[in-house]
Amino acid sequence: MATGKINVSVENIFPLIKKFLYSDHEIFLRELISNATDATLKLKHLSALGEANVDYVNPFIEVKINEENKTLHVIDQGIGMTKEEVEKYINEVAFSGAEEFLEKYKDSAKDSGIIGHFGLGFYSAFMVANKVEIITKSHKDEPAAHWICEGTTEFTLEEGNKETHGTEIILHINEEDKEFLKENRIQELLVKYNKFMPIPIKFGTKEETLPLPEDAKEDAKPETKTVDNIINNPEPAWTKQPTDLEEKDYNEFYRELYPMQFEEPLFHIHLNVDYPFNLTGILYFPRMTQDMNVQKDKIQLYQNQVYVTDNVEGIVPEFLTMLRGVIDSPDIPLNVSRSYLQADGAVKKISSYITRKVADKLKSLFNNNREDFEKKWNDIKIVIEYGMLSEDKFFEKAEKFALYPTTDGEYYIFSELEEAIKENQTDKDGNMVILYASNENEQHSYIEAAKNKGYKVLLLDSPIVSHLLQKLETSKEKISFVRVDSDHVDNLIKKDDEKISKLSDEEKEQLKADFEKVIPAEKYTIQMEAMDSNAAPLIITQPEFMRRMKEMQQTGGGGGMFGMGNMPEMYNLVVNTNHDLINTILNTKTEKKQQRLIKHSLDLARLSQNLLKGEELTSFIKRSFDMVK
C-alpha cells in the first residue's frame, strides 16, 4: 500500500473546493457522471481505433444509493485507470486526463464527445462527502487500484480487487448533506443534469406494464415486469441530422424538454454548425403573449449533452431568450461565469451565428408559406420586433419578413407598405406619414375617420412599439409614424388645402377665452381649428412626440434620455370652429349655461378617449340622465 500527499499548490484545497469551486453543491453529481461518460467514450474511441484490450459492448453508467452505509456510488464500464494513472490524474489536480487524451488523439478524437474536465471536477465530490474512494481497473491488463481520501491532502493507494474494467466512485456522504442519500433527490438531479447524456444511466429499477395480447379477454389485467430505470435519452433530437427528423419528432422532443407545456410550438429552428466553432441545438418559437416577462421554461445550455444552465444571456442574443429549446456547444465551459461569457470571442461569434440563423429561418418560413406566417404573426411579433430594436444585423434582415398589419387585416412588409400608401399619405413637404393605432377599440372613431379619407391605419400594439418606431424613423428617409388619435384627421397628414372657418378671428378669440375659463390650463392646450362641420365639435389629442416619449419611459429608456422625468399628462383640445354646437356655445347669452355646455362637451370628448373615470364619470352619467329627463 502506498501513501502520499496530493500535489496541489494550495496547502489544503478542500475548504476552497467546498466554498468556491461551485456555488451549488448538487453539481457534484453532474461532474462525476460527466467523468464516467468521458471514461466510457474514451473506451469507445480506442475500440474504434483497435487500441483497446476489451470490447465496447453497450456500456452503461450506474448510480446506486446505500442509505444504511451512507454511501453514494457512481459506476462506469469505461477505460478505467492503472495505479500510475490514479497517481497522475487524481493526485495531481492540475492535470486533466481528458485534455491529455485529446492531445494524443487530437485528429481522430475531435468528434468523440470527450468533455475534458476531469481534474477539479472529481474533487467536487468533497463538497458533499467526508471520504471518497475510487476503485478502478484499466482496460489494460493490469491490477485494479483502490484510492481512499478523507478530505485532507493525505491519501492511500493500494491494489484493488475489481475484476472488470471501469471505475467505481464511492462517496461517504456528510451528515449535513444526507439529502443526497434520498432516491427522489438523486432522481431529480439525474433528470436535471444528465437527461440527455450520450451513455445510458441506470438508477435502480421500475415496473413496466406489458401490452395485452390481441386475443386477451375483456377483464384481463395487464402484466408488469421489472426493468432497469434508465434516466436519460442518449440520442436526443438535436444530436441528429435535420434530414433524419420529421415534424412529429421535433414536437415530441419539445414535450420531452418541457413536460408541462401542452401547446405545440409554432415552429422550430435546427442549429448545426462545425466551423468556426461547434454548435448544435434546436430552438422553438412558442406561442407568445404581450407580456415581456421572462418565460418560465427557458432555453437550456448543454456541453456535449451535459446540462450546464438555463441562464443563456450572453450566448443567445437577448431578444431570443424568449424562445425555448436547447443549445449544445463543447466550446462553452461547464463552469460558466458571466465575466467569461462577456469576454470570450467564441461566445460572441455563437451569438451572432444564432441571430443570423434565426433570421434566415424566418425569411424562409415567410417565403415558403406567407399565409401561415401571417396567421402566426401575432404570436411571434414580440420577438421579431424586439430583435429589430436590439440587433442591427437582425433589423437589416427583418426587412424581408417583418410584417406591418393594418386594422383591415392586411399584412405588408415595409417595401409593400410604402408602395401602398405613398400616393395618398404623403404630406405637402414630401414626407410619407404612416398612421397607426395601438388599440383598435379605444381608437375606433379615429381609425374610422382616417379610413374615410382613404388612409391605411396600421395596428401596432406591442409594448415596445414606441421604441421601434423611433428606430424605423431614424433608419429611413422622409417617413414618420403618427398615431391616429394624435390629431384631427385633417391635421394628421398636412395637405395644401386648408378649411375656411365659419368664425371670424375676433369670434375665435372670444370663444377661446370662454373655453379657458372652464378648461384647466395645466392639462389642456386649446386650439381653434376649421374642420368639416360633420366632424366632432371637440377632439382631445396628445402630441405624438410627448405621448411616445412617455410610453418609452414606461417601458424603459426614452423619457430619461430626454431629461423629462415623470412627464405630466398634457393634451391638446381641438375646437372645431365649423361645428353647430360650437356656434351655439359662442352665442349662448348666460355664462352659467355656456359653461355647462363647454363642460359637458369636454366630458364627451374625454369619454371618447377613455379619460373620464371615477367620480367625474359618475357625475357625468347623473348629469346626462338629468338632461334626458
Side-chain angles (χ1 to χ4, degrees), residues 426-624:
T426 299
D427 68 13
K428 57 188 176 67
D429 298 318
N431 297 308
M432 190 167 69
V433 180
I434 303 168
L435 302 180
Y436 73 98
S438 59
N439 187 309
E440 238 178 325
N441 289 327
E442 288 181 10
Q443 293 149 19
H444 181 266
S445 61
Y446 297 91
I447 294 168
E448 289 304 304
K451 282 160 69 172
N452 288 339
K453 286 269 190 184
Y455 299 152
K456 290 193 180 294
V457 181
L458 301 184
L459 181 59
L460 304 176
D461 55 4
S462 299
I464 58 168
V465 88
S466 49
H467 296 271
L468 182 59
L469 299 187
Q470 206 77 358
K471 180 158 185 172
L472 285 162
E473 286 171 342
T474 54
S475 68
K476 299 178 183 299
E477 289 184 7
K478 302 202 83 170
I479 70 151
S480 63
F481 285 83
V482 176
R483 204 168 84 176
V484 72
D485 61 343
S486 63
D487 208 334
H488 178 256
V489 66
D490 290 336
N491 293 334
L492 291 173
I493 304 172
K494 292 275 192 186
K495 304 285 187 177
D496 286 324
D497 50 329
E498 283 193 19
K499 290 273 187 300
I500 298 169
S501 176
K502 292 178 180 178
L503 303 183
S504 67
D505 288 346
E506 291 79 11
E507 287 173 318
K508 283 192 277 188
E509 285 297 321
Q510 178 59 50
L511 187 64
K512 189 172 183 182
D514 293 337
F515 268 83
E516 285 172 346
K517 290 175 189 173
V518 181
I519 308 295
E522 68 275 9
K523 282 192 175 180
Y524 296 97
T525 301
I526 299 168
Q527 294 173 212
M528 298 289 146
E529 293 271 355
M531 299 185 280
D532 288 337
S533 56
N534 58 0
L538 296 182
I539 298 171
I540 294 172
T541 64
Q542 192 170 23
E544 176 73 18
F545 174 79
M546 291 289 289
R547 195 209 64 256
R548 200 189 292 183
M549 288 304 106
K550 195 163 183 65
E551 287 173 356
M552 288 170 71
Q553 185 185 54
Q554 288 165 352
T555 54
M561 75 177 76
F562 290 95
M564 294 184 178
N566 290 315
M567 291 181 290
E569 291 285 359
M570 276 294 293
Y571 297 94
N572 292 331
L573 179 65
V574 183
V575 180
N576 181 2
T577 59
N578 288 340
H579 196 281
D580 289 344
L581 175 60
I582 300 304
N583 194 44
T584 301
I585 290 171
L586 176 66
N587 294 309
T588 298
K589 300 295 182 228
T590 67
E591 187 176 358
K592 189 175 179 184
K593 183 182 178 184
Q594 185 187 56
Q595 291 185 357
R596 191 173 75 245
L597 283 172
I598 292 172
K599 186 168 183 357
H600 201 74
S601 301
L602 174 65
D603 283 349
L604 283 166
R606 291 172 71 199
L607 191 66
S608 74
Q609 275 280 39
N610 202 27
L611 294 172
L612 197 62
K613 295 175 183 176
E615 187 181 339
E616 289 180 316
L617 178 59
T618 305
S619 173
F620 169 78
I621 293 168
K622 185 177 182 302
R623 192 166 69 246
S624 299

Side-chain angles (χ1 to χ4, degrees), residues 134 141 165 225 229 255 261 320 501 519 574 623-624:
I134 302 172
D141 190 18
H165 64 89
K225 68 171 181 177
N229 179 30
R255 282 190 290 274
Q261 281 296 333
L320 294 178
S501 176
I519 308 295
V574 183
R623 192 166 69 246
S624 299

Side-chain angles (χ1 to χ4, degrees), residues 96-342:
S96 165
E99 283 173 9
E100 187 190 74
F101 183 87
L102 277 174
E103 183 58 33
K104 184 175 178 185
Y105 296 101
K106 59 185 174 187
D107 294 328
S108 57
K110 191 170 54 182
D111 301 316
S112 61
I114 291 153
I115 294 162
H117 286 269
F118 193 85
L120 280 172
F122 163 73
Y123 279 94
S124 65
F126 286 97
M127 294 193 298
V128 299
N130 52 43
K131 176 180 173 183
V132 177
E133 299 180 60
I134 302 172
I135 302 170
T136 182
K137 179 170 171 58
S138 171
H139 71 103
K140 300 168 189 171
D141 190 18
E142 293 198 32
H146 188 176
W147 180 91
I148 304 170
C149 179
E150 297 194 15
T152 70
T153 53
E154 307 289 333
F155 71 89
T156 63
L157 179 59
E158 59 189 1
E159 195 170 300
N161 56 13
K162 184 171 170 56
E163 294 187 4
T164 55
H165 64 89
T167 299
E168 178 174 5
I169 310 285
I170 305 169
L171 285 73
H172 297 259
I173 301 295
N174 299 324
E175 183 63 29
E176 64 268 27
D177 291 299
K178 60 187 179 187
E179 64 178 288
F180 300 113
L181 292 171
K182 301 295 180 189
E183 270 192 33
N184 59 349
R185 180 69 169 124
I186 295 302
Q187 170 93 10
E188 174 199 334
L189 292 182
L190 289 172
V191 169
K192 178 178 177 179
Y193 291 108
N194 307 108
K195 192 176 178 179
F196 301 112
M197 293 292 279
I199 306 297
I201 300 166
K202 177 188 172 186
F203 182 55
T205 57
K206 62 180 179 181
E207 293 297 307
E208 195 172 81
T209 304
L210 297 171
L212 286 168
E214 288 183 11
D215 58 350
K217 294 178 181 176
E218 278 189 27
D219 58 348
K221 291 183 179 177
E223 292 183 19
T224 61
K225 68 171 181 177
T226 302
V227 296
D228 288 342
N229 179 30
I230 301 299
I231 293 292
N232 57 323
N233 170 8
E235 295 183 342
W238 84 80
T239 64
K240 300 173 182 175
Q241 290 298 318
T243 50
D244 297 333
L245 297 166
E246 296 177 6
E247 194 65 27
K248 68 178 180 62
D249 299 314
Y250 286 107
N251 289 341
E252 282 171 10
F253 180 60
Y254 183 74
R255 282 190 290 274
E256 195 176 348
L257 278 173
Y258 309 110
M260 301 309 292
Q261 281 296 333
F262 303 110
E263 276 192 315
E264 298 283 315
L266 296 168
F267 50 83
H268 64 267
I269 298 171
H270 198 130
L271 306 168
N272 197 340
V273 63
D274 53 18
Y275 181 83
F277 45 80
N278 286 297
L279 178 80
T280 53
I282 300 170
L283 296 180
Y284 292 94
F285 269 76
R287 205 170 290 281
M288 295 288 174
T289 65
Q290 294 288 69
D291 185 5
M292 289 185 67
N293 291 335
V294 178
Q295 299 278 348
K296 177 171 164 269
D297 295 311
K298 302 180 189 175
I299 294 171
Q300 299 173 12
L301 177 65
Y302 287 76
Q303 193 228 58
N304 285 329
Q305 296 173 239
V306 184
Y307 175 80
V308 179
T309 181
D310 63 4
N311 182 3
V312 294
E313 288 175 29
I315 298 164
V316 173
E318 190 179 358
F319 77 98
L320 294 178
T321 55
M322 289 184 275
L323 303 189
R324 299 190 179 122
V326 166
I327 288 171
D328 189 332
S329 175
D331 295 327
I332 295 169
L334 280 173
N335 215 10
V336 178
S337 72
R338 189 166 299 280
S339 58
Y340 169 87
L341 293 176
Q342 288 169 345

